[in-house]
């Protein structure tokens, strides 16, 4: 069996591979450090536009204007589903972000265009 031992440096990654079948070792250096998997939250929401507001145009405006803090990397679904006049969509955001403050409260401030919004589902993705 081959046993792999890894050590990370600031800009490089070293791996020591032991091969017990022929009693050799191999040291491998890579110039890129492995990036840890980012923990994200996925949130599915439903948005009810005000009477007379085009749902598809409103969704495009929401995606353009609600961007959150750059470090939270808010990502909206490219497309939404319009069902019974309601916009159904989802977004992902960094787990440490307060998504209620970063997204939902901003939607509430769009009261001239949005009659209401609901969280359908939310889950942490690790």
């Amino acid at each position: 069996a081959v046993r792999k031992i890894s050590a990370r440096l600031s800009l490089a990654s070293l791996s020591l591979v032991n091969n017990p079948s022929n009693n050799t070792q191999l040291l491998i250096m890579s110039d890129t450090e492995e990036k840890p998997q980012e923990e994200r939250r996925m949130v599915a929401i439903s948005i009810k536009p005000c009477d007379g507001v085009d749902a598809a145009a409103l969704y495009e405006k929401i995606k353009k204007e609600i961007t959150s803090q750059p470090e939270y990397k808010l990502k909206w679904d490219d497309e939404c589903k319009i069902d019974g006049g309601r916009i159904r969509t989802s977004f992902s955001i960094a787990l440490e972000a307060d998504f209620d403050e970063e997204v939902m409260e901003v939607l509430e401030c769009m009261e001239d265009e949005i009659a209401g919004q609901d969280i359908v589902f939310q889950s942490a993705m690790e």
Side-chain angles (χ1 to χ4, degrees):
V2 175
R3 189 175 69 154
K4 184 176 179 180
I5 302 169
S6 295
R8 287 189 181 87
L9 303 174
S10 61
L11 295 175
S13 178
L14 295 176
S15 297
L16 180 64
V17 179
N18 293 316
N19 187 346
S21 65
N22 63 5
N23 204 23
T24 60
Q25 293 182 334
L26 181 60
L27 182 63
I28 302 170
M29 183 173 176
S30 169
D31 63 352
T32 58
E33 182 179 349
E34 290 180 28
K35 294 184 180 179
Q37 184 74 11
E38 184 179 19
E39 295 179 338
R40 310 271 301 157
R41 179 173 310 279
M42 197 278 286
V43 183
I45 60 173
S46 173
I47 302 167
K48 182 178 186 322
C50 290
D51 291 339
V53 175
D54 178 77
L58 176 60
Y59 185 61
E60 290 303 315
K61 180 178 180 179
I62 289 169
K63 289 192 311 180
K64 182 180 176 186
E65 293 186 6
I66 301 178
T67 58
S68 184
Q69 303 295 318
E71 63 269 21
Y72 296 149
K73 299 177 186 161
L74 173 64
K75 170 125 178 53
W76 290 97
D77 282 351
D78 292 333
E79 302 292 324
C80 69
K81 180 178 179 185
I82 299 172
D83 182 23
R86 295 185 73 92
I87 300 167
R88 300 195 186 278
T89 190
S90 64
F91 61 87
S92 67
I93 192 167
L95 192 57
E96 67 269 9
D98 180 346
F99 77 89
D100 191 50
E101 181 179 303
E102 295 292 322
V103 177
M104 303 308 290
E105 289 178 10
V106 179
L107 290 172
E108 286 177 19
C109 292
M110 298 175 72
E111 56 199 17
D112 292 340
E113 298 166 284
I114 297 176
Q117 71 274 347
D118 299 301
I119 299 169
V120 176
F121 174 83
Q122 63 102 5
S123 177
M125 302 181 298
E126 298 179 15

